[in-house]
Amino acid sequence: MKNQASASTLIIPVESQVRELDAKLLLSCVAAERGFPVIMGSRAYTHFQVASIARGVYLAKSMRSLSNSMFTILRQLGHEIVAWEEEALVHPPADTYFTQRLSPVTINQVAQMFAWGQENADLIRQYPALPENMPVHITGNPRGDMLRPEIRPYFAREVEGLRDRYGDFILINTNFSGVNPFIPNLGLFLPARGLWKKRVRLGQPGMGMSREFAEGLRNHKLAVLADFKQLIPALEHAFPSLRIVVRPHPSESHQIYHEIAAQCQRVVVENQGNVIPWLLAAKALVHNGCTTGLEAYMLRVPAISYLASLHTYYDYDFQGLPTRLSHQCFDFQALTNTLSGILAGELGAAAGRERQVLIDYYLAAQSGPLACERMVDVLEASGYRNQQPPARPLGTYLQGWLSARLKALLTGLYMRRPGPNRLAYHSHRFPALTVAEIESRIARFGQLLNRFDKVKVALHSKHVFRISV
């Protein structure tokens, strides 16, 4: 095998451990097996280290204006950027999507893009500020690989443990971080303060949305949240033989759910680990426009989209994909009837030709080579396996090095400021991991796929790992 010293380092940041880690670890193993040295770990802590990482390719998960400064630093240091759009499967109409999720400045720093499927590629190619001749590769996504039949046994131990721990249960996945945020700036609107009380400012998720769209979405989400607060104890009463497991979105506050659980006997609030084993262990999923509805469809787990406060624009034009891939219930009686049919074995996962055509349009690599393999194929074809990106002029590099160090210092201070802070949020989204835990996960992939026996793991720095052969 060619000396790895000439290969580009593949830098894979992970923001939400429970959602991204396993999929990005699979990608890391495939890349390492092909000869790429890989740096994978916490997104924030990877950014702290970018000035000390050998030149390579940074895999970005979004192209919002919030990434402008980091993308500039990465380019100044000599790294190149390839990207996928993490939130592309469930997205608002194109005009809102473009202003919310894409920045003309940021996207111009991206060398090429990976698409979840044909729909994602079609959407991106409509973007008015898309650079001319930007390569958009329809590869699928590593998170899609985790849903494939040959990968699902990766979670067998967790599925068995969940069934032993909770018995038969209904899983409720919530998606209300915009109105129930873990920290205030993750809400659609910031809390009203002082002079801003009459016109509160948009929070981080609302950036790029028109005020009308954001206000409408906030009002709708508040109505749906109220529905779910009533739904949780009502389901416990309606199905006395089952547990009700509430799994909040990673960016949500758990407090209101714990308050509900405290008034119930068989309601559990839990957010540990990847959602896939929870889906496989559950009798059914109840959600409202959540990506887990799509994941349940792919896993053939019965899923219900609860639409008691129906808003056709937000429920179908915005969050329509997981809703269309699920059974749809518009009131509590319909929900209990549908759940009863599922529990009796009379009703399975939502199916039909129309749904299959829909998922085929949105999600590539459902069979054949893994999405991870297809992505590494693109990286190899682009020459990154044989050489690093060219070095930047010394002055440019030094500017990037100083900017990276300053940004790391300021971010570290910001993470630790008093009150609900980013450090607590980071610990919530990326709990500490050991090398042994990463090695164990790789061994599980290896047993399933009969590969990765030469892949090694080392600690690069806090929350960041080096994966290589």
Side-chain angles (χ1 to χ4, degrees), residues 187-396:
L188 283 166
F189 289 88
L190 299 176
R193 292 178 182 171
L195 295 175
W196 294 103
K197 285 185 177 179
K198 291 185 178 180
R199 187 173 175 82
V200 294
R201 292 176 294 170
L202 289 168
Q204 184 175 310
M207 292 179 182
M209 294 181 181
S210 70
R211 194 168 188 89
E212 180 183 12
F213 183 94
E215 288 177 346
L217 180 59
R218 176 197 59 192
N219 295 341
H220 179 56
K221 286 290 187 181
L222 284 170
V224 178
L225 175 57
D227 292 339
F228 272 66
K229 288 165 69 175
Q230 294 179 351
L231 172 68
I232 294 165
L235 278 180
E236 183 193 45
H237 178 73
F239 296 95
S241 65
L242 300 180
R243 288 278 187 95
I244 309 299
V245 176
V246 180
R247 185 181 169 92
H249 187 278
S251 297
E252 266 194 86
S253 169
H254 295 188
Q255 182 178 347
I256 60 172
Y257 305 115
H258 283 297
E259 291 172 355
I260 294 170
Q263 304 300 314
C264 299
Q265 298 297 315
R266 289 173 288 101
V267 173
V268 178
V269 181
E270 184 64 83
N271 188 249
Q272 296 301 308
N274 195 299
V275 72
I276 294 174
W278 290 91
L279 289 168
L280 291 171
K283 290 295 184 181
L285 166 72
V286 179
H287 69 98
N288 177 277
C290 185
T291 306
T292 49
L294 180 151
E295 292 168 316
Y297 175 84
M298 293 298 298
L299 296 169
R300 307 313 302 146
V301 173
I304 299 170
S305 188
Y306 186 51
L307 303 162
S309 293
L310 179 66
H311 191 298
T312 54
Y313 182 68
Y314 293 111
D315 285 318
Y316 290 107
D317 293 344
F318 183 4
Q319 299 176 329
L321 179 61
T323 293
R324 289 186 171 92
L325 293 173
S326 304
H327 301 295
Q328 298 168 44
C329 294
F330 302 95
D331 56 52
F332 184 72
Q333 186 60 56
L335 177 64
T336 56
N337 291 343
T338 302
L339 280 171
S340 296
I342 291 169
L343 295 170
E346 299 165 358
L347 187 64
R353 176 63 181 165
E354 184 177 339
R355 289 188 175 98
Q356 188 60 53
V357 169
L358 187 63
I359 195 64
D360 289 346
Y361 181 45
Y362 275 82
L363 188 63
Q366 296 178 44
S367 60
L370 297 171
C372 291
E373 300 281 8
R374 302 175 197 220
M375 293 174 70
V376 177
D377 285 345
V378 170
L379 296 175
E380 283 193 324
S382 302
Y384 294 123
R385 169 64 186 84
N386 298 319
Q387 61 184 9
Q388 296 174 315
R392 303 288 283 171
L394 181 59
T396 302

Side-chain angles (χ1 to χ4, degrees), residues 2 11 42 89 100 113-114 128 154 202 214 235 258 285 314 326 355 373 388 395 405 414 434 439:
K2 192 167 180 176
I11 306 167
S42 155
L89 283 178
Q100 182 194 15
M113 296 172 59
F114 298 116
Y154 175 85
L202 289 168
L235 278 180
H258 283 297
L285 166 72
Y314 293 111
S326 304
R355 289 188 175 98
E373 300 281 8
Q388 296 174 315
R405 296 298 185 190
Y414 176 68
T434 65
E439 288 175 336

